[in-house]
């Protein structure tokens, strides 16, 4: 499986999905002009990766680090979809943890993480950064 | 503490305008002694407001009345105990009633009600061609924690000027 690497821009996050080390990262701001165009390929990549792992019978744990500084409401829907997609991995016994990073006293971001954890049913770690 | 105008913009709205105005807002906020969480709340609400205006503006263009010289506007003020964001753009008169109903409905919900509405849209809503999930205004209401104020000033037979005013408490 090819790595998925997207550089950050002022309005889209850095995306670094490296199957070799099983640590995936999404970091930065998420306000793309076209949210479907940006997140569609990422969700597709995760589908393909899940199919590959399932075919190979691999069950190594995956860590997804999310440090999204700002995101707009339409990105929120796609970020939730990514978390739900990670639950598909959990469903076939591939352990997944999501590190939800936020800066101290950003209660909104922490609450958003807690809601996404509840809606996606994937375990989140809450990490204060900076 | 005095009242401060942190941003006062009126004019054309392109996608790049969102970026420029957000940078300016972040820069202005960086000088203030306000909790980081509140500053982030202001920026997040500002993002939704600017994107809304941008969507309305592109809609205007498709409806070919954009050249009638009605400029969109956005203002960010800091008062003694709150920030106030005012966002304004033209709207087709036919679209006023549904928008009013939506905001009135949101204003009638308590925090749990808003949260339920948010979850129902984020789980079931479709992203429209304009990229909106219909979440923006609910997100603004949840983050602000205050009722949303709005005003529609008639311009002519087809159009009105729509203003949304959002208060964000400092504490």
């Amino acid at each position: 499986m090819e790595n998925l690497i997207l550089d950050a821009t002022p309005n889209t996050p850095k995306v670094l999905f490296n199957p070799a080390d099983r640590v995936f990262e999404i970091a930065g701001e998420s306000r793309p002009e076209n949210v479907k165009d940006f997140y569609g390929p990422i969700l597709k990549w995760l589908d393909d990766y899940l199919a590959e792992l399932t075919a190979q019978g691999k069950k190594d744990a995956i860590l997804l680090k999310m440090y999204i500084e700002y995101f707009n409401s339409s990105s929120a829907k796609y970020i939730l979809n990514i978390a739900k997609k990670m639950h598909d991995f959990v469903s076939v016994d591939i352990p997944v943890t999501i590190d939800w990073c936020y800066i101290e006293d950003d209660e909104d971001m922490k609450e958003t993480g807690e809601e996404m954890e509840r809606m996606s049913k994937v375990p989140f770690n809450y990490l204060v950064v900076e | 503490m005095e009242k401060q105008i942190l941003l006062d913009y009126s004019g054309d709205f392109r996608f790049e305008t969102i970026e420029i105005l957000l940078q300016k807002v972040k820069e202005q906020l960086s000088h203030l002694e306000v909790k980081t969480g509140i500053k982030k709340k202001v920026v997040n609400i500002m993002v939704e407001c600017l994107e809304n205006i941008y969507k309305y503006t592109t809609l205007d263009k498709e409806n070919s009345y954009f050249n009638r010289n009605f400029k969109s506007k956005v203002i960010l003020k800091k008062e003694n105990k709150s920030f106030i964001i005012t966002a304004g753009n033209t709207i087709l008169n036919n679209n006023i009633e549904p928008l009013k109903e939506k905001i009135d409905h949101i204003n009638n919900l308590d925090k749990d009600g808003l949260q339920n509405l948010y979850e129902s849209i984020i789980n079931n809503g479709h992203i429209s061609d304009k990229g909106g999930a219909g979440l923006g205004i609910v997100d603004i209401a949840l983050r602000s924690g205050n009722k949303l104020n709005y005003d529609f000033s008639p311009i002519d037979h087809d159009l009105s000027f729509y203003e949304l005013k959002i208060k964000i408490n400092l504490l």
Side-chain angles (χ1 to χ4, degrees):
Chain A
M1 190 81 191
E2 293 273 319
N3 293 351
L4 177 66
I5 300 172
L6 302 172
D7 291 329
T9 72
N11 58 315
T12 58
K14 171 178 88 172
V15 176
L16 191 57
F17 287 6
N18 179 359
D21 64 12
R22 298 188 163 242
V23 177
F24 297 175
E25 196 181 337
I26 302 179
E29 298 209 14
S30 182
R31 304 177 277 100
E33 185 163 12
N34 187 323
V35 73
K36 270 184 193 171
D37 286 356
F38 183 78
Y39 282 102
I42 297 172
L43 288 162
K44 169 78 169 58
W45 189 95
L46 287 170
D47 273 334
D48 293 346
Y49 184 52
L50 176 60
E52 185 182 283
L53 291 185
T54 311
Q56 295 169 344
K58 289 186 180 166
K59 309 265 185 217
D60 298 330
I62 296 171
L63 173 64
L64 171 59
K65 290 183 186 172
M66 300 254 238
Y67 176 28
I68 308 191
E69 213 181 335
Y70 290 103
F71 55 81
N72 62 9
S73 56
S74 37
S75 293
K77 186 172 173 64
Y78 279 90
I79 292 164
L80 174 63
N81 284 347
I82 289 177
K84 286 178 172 173
K85 184 73 69 193
M86 297 319 292
H87 189 263
D88 293 347
F89 288 75
V90 176
S91 301
V92 294
D93 298 327
I94 298 168
V96 175
T97 305
I98 295 181
D99 277 355
W100 187 261
C101 307
Y102 61 98
I103 54 166
E104 196 170 3
D105 100 20
D106 189 355
E107 288 302 315
D108 284 0
M109 193 57 95
K110 182 165 189 247
E111 277 177 28
T112 302
E114 287 164 351
E115 288 151 17
M116 292 207 178
E117 175 174 21
R118 188 165 42 79
M119 291 187 278
S120 68
K121 303 184 182 72
V122 175
F124 278 43
N125 275 329
Y126 297 93
L127 303 176
V128 174
V129 291
E130 279 174 340
Chain B
M1 251 186 274
E2 299 170 358
K3 288 186 185 179
Q4 279 176 279
I5 306 276
L6 303 174
L7 179 77
D8 185 351
Y9 177 81
S10 167
D12 213 20
F13 251 81
R14 288 167 295 128
F15 188 71
E16 301 76 55
T17 315
I18 298 176
E19 214 52 60
I20 294 162
L21 296 181
L22 272 185
Q23 287 313 320
K24 185 158 159 59
V25 166
K26 286 185 196 170
E27 216 275 318
Q28 289 281 341
L29 289 172
S30 71
H31 303 304
L32 301 179
E33 284 185 30
V34 173
K35 278 174 69 178
T36 315
I38 302 292
K39 289 181 185 177
K40 291 205 69 174
K41 211 184 258 292
V42 170
V43 174
N44 266 308
I45 293 176
M46 190 57 93
V47 167
E48 297 305 320
C49 290
L50 295 174
E51 291 192 350
N52 261 334
I53 293 174
Y54 171 67
K55 277 174 218 157
Y56 273 110
T57 309
T58 40
L59 194 68
D60 283 357
K61 284 177 183 162
E62 283 159 19
N63 283 307
S64 74
Y65 57 77
F66 70 98
N67 53 359
R68 288 205 208 165
N69 265 332
F70 300 112
K71 295 180 188 305
S72 301
K73 72 166 190 185
V74 58
I75 299 166
L76 171 63
K77 274 191 297 192
K78 182 173 169 294
E79 299 190 340
N80 285 338
K81 291 176 179 166
S82 57
F83 286 98
I84 308 282
I85 296 175
T86 310
N89 52 263
T90 50
I91 181 171
L92 284 171
N93 288 336
N94 289 340
N95 294 336
I96 292 178
E97 254 339 285
L99 181 58
K100 253 188 193 169
E101 277 173 26
K102 196 172 174 181
I103 302 176
D104 288 341
H105 176 59
I106 286 169
N107 278 340
N108 282 326
L109 295 171
D110 59 9
K111 197 184 176 209
D112 286 347
L114 273 175
Q115 192 60 46
N116 289 340
L117 178 60
Y118 181 90
E119 287 186 18
S120 133
I121 301 172
I122 201 170
N123 282 301
N124 309 313
H126 296 286
I127 302 284
S128 71
D129 289 343
K130 294 278 169 199
L135 272 180
I137 193 98
V138 183
D139 188 64
I140 289 173
L142 267 171
R143 288 184 194 274
S144 111
N146 290 304
K147 300 296 175 200
L148 305 172
N149 276 305
Y150 61 80
D151 185 47
F152 295 94
S153 321
I155 295 171
D156 60 25
H157 184 69
D158 301 318
L159 287 175
S160 292
F161 196 79
Y162 160 53
E163 264 187 23
L164 182 65
K165 201 184 229 186
I166 303 138
K167 186 169 134 187
I168 301 131
N169 300 338
L170 275 170
L171 289 172

